[in-house]
Amino acid sequence: MKLLRFGPKGQEKPGLLDANGVVRDLSEMLPDLTSACLGRATLDRLASVDPARLPAVEGPVRMAPIVADIGKLICVGLNYSDHAAESGMDVPSEPVLFTKATSAIIGCNDPVVLPRDSVKSDWEVELGVVIGKRARYVEAEQALEHVAGYCVVNDLSEREYQLERGGQWDKGKGCDTFGPVGPWLVTADEVPDPQNLDMWLEVNGKRYQSGNTRTMVFTVAQLVSYISRFMTLNPGDVISTGTPPGVGLGQKPEPVYLRPGDRISLGIQGLGQQNQTVHAWDAALIDG
């Protein structure tokens, strides 16, 4: 099942994508797709509905963030050994964790707005893991039982802020619009093996990233278990699990960074595609 939210900012509605790629309106069943909807009982109820009986949404629509009230967006750094190498960093012995501000979260095709004075903004295609059941000190063997589903995340990063401004990653990771998620939340039953998903990213039509989640240093199950030792994972929290090589920082002979007018496309096998246009700082694009 592919769950989603659609509509203008402040007017989002819950929906699902049917087998023919048609967006169906779930408003008669749910007021919105919130963290409270991610439990097994609600997901089973939604899965029992015949999509053909739901109203079809006509025309192109804005794809909104997949959950209305994402509580935490927790990211994992250097979780692909070849990406660590291109970044000039060691493969970590334990997962590297940082958070992205929830104010960074946007719909998958919303404008990406560079922060003022940005000179080193970068891209990262990542597998997002959406928590559906509270996880606290969970063993890896049971960790996937706490996952509602998966999504695409672009972990946009301002490298100067991240690496040259005091060594605190959050400053370069949590900028407004730097957390596109979606287009869909694909429920876990449709992703039997999250460790075998192809992923890719292009900028202006050039393929920069091609990878597969099988090369993660720490698996999804290991990450859910590990993070649950340090904080409670609640329904609606999202874990962004790291990126394969090919980021702008690692390009040779010189890094390549995002500029206004650039177009980013990225996707993960079975989880959909994102398309963003990069803009110079403009508060109206963020707030509107």
Side-chain angles (χ1 to χ4, degrees):
M1 187 167 51
K2 295 177 175 65
L3 298 173
L4 55 91
R5 298 172 67 245
F6 66 94
K9 290 183 180 179
Q11 303 176 46
E12 293 91 344
K13 295 180 179 181
L16 61 78
L17 193 76
D18 71 16
N20 296 315
V22 176
V23 175
R24 300 282 178 168
D25 190 339
L26 278 173
S27 296
E28 65 183 47
M29 300 188 66
L30 301 170
D32 203 348
L33 186 60
T34 68
S35 57
C37 303
L38 300 179
R40 188 74 267 150
T42 300
L43 294 182
D44 287 346
R45 179 166 65 92
L46 295 176
S48 69
V49 175
D50 179 3
R53 300 181 61 183
L54 299 171
V57 179
E58 302 296 334
V61 293
R62 170 182 176 258
M63 304 301 286
I66 52 174
V67 178
D69 56 343
I70 293 174
K72 296 191 286 290
L73 180 48
I74 306 154
C75 300
V76 183
L78 307 175
N79 197 34
Y80 290 73
S81 58
D82 33 14
H83 170 57
E86 73 174 353
S87 302
M89 300 180 186
D90 295 332
V91 176
S93 58
E94 294 188 34
V96 174
L97 305 181
F98 59 93
T99 59
K100 242 175 158 54
T102 53
S103 53
I105 297 170
I106 58 172
C108 65
N109 302 327
D110 286 348
V112 166
V113 180
L114 299 178
R116 289 180 179 174
D117 305 318
S118 168
V119 293
K120 295 182 180 180
S121 287
D122 203 348
W123 57 81
E124 295 187 4
V125 58
E126 304 201 0
L127 172 66
V129 180
V130 184
I131 300 298
K133 175 183 175 183
R134 188 174 73 171
R136 181 182 292 160
Y137 294 103
V138 173
E139 297 300 325
E141 292 76 14
Q142 287 79 47
L144 296 186
E145 298 172 11
H146 297 259
V147 174
Y150 302 90
C151 67
V152 182
V153 176
N154 189 355
D155 176 20
L156 290 147
S157 312
E158 215 300 343
R159 301 300 187 190
E160 183 191 34
Y161 298 1
Q162 176 191 359
L163 303 172
E164 302 173 32
R165 300 287 293 274
Q168 299 190 23
W169 283 22
D170 289 6
K171 286 184 289 192
K173 295 285 191 172
C175 304
D176 292 345
T177 77
F178 272 26
V181 295
W184 321 306
L185 187 167
V186 181
T187 51
D189 58 292
E190 291 197 10
V191 187
D193 184 5
Q195 302 308 144
N196 188 24
L197 300 173
D198 291 329
M199 52 206 308
W200 59 273
L201 182 144
E202 296 177 352
V203 179
N204 299 326
K206 179 178 178 179
R207 181 67 58 96
Y208 282 95
Q209 290 189 277
S210 295
N212 187 288
T213 56
R214 74 170 67 92
T215 64
M216 283 184 182
V217 178
F218 304 102
T219 66
V220 170
Q222 290 171 327
L223 291 173
V224 172
S225 174
Y226 182 85
I227 295 169
S228 77
R229 303 179 199 176
F230 300 96
M231 64 192 80
T232 299
L233 292 170
N234 292 311
D237 289 347
V238 177
I239 301 170
S240 196
T241 57
T243 197
V247 300
L249 173 68
Q251 298 304 306
K252 306 297 182 185
E254 297 291 337
V256 176
Y257 295 115
L258 294 168
R259 296 290 181 261
D262 285 347
R263 296 184 178 274
I264 312 169
S265 298
L266 60 150
I268 299 179
Q269 179 183 351
L271 304 185
Q273 178 173 325
Q274 301 185 357
N275 298 285
Q276 297 123 21
T277 300
V278 179
H279 298 262
W281 171 258
D282 184 342
L285 289 174
I286 297 171
D287 298 334

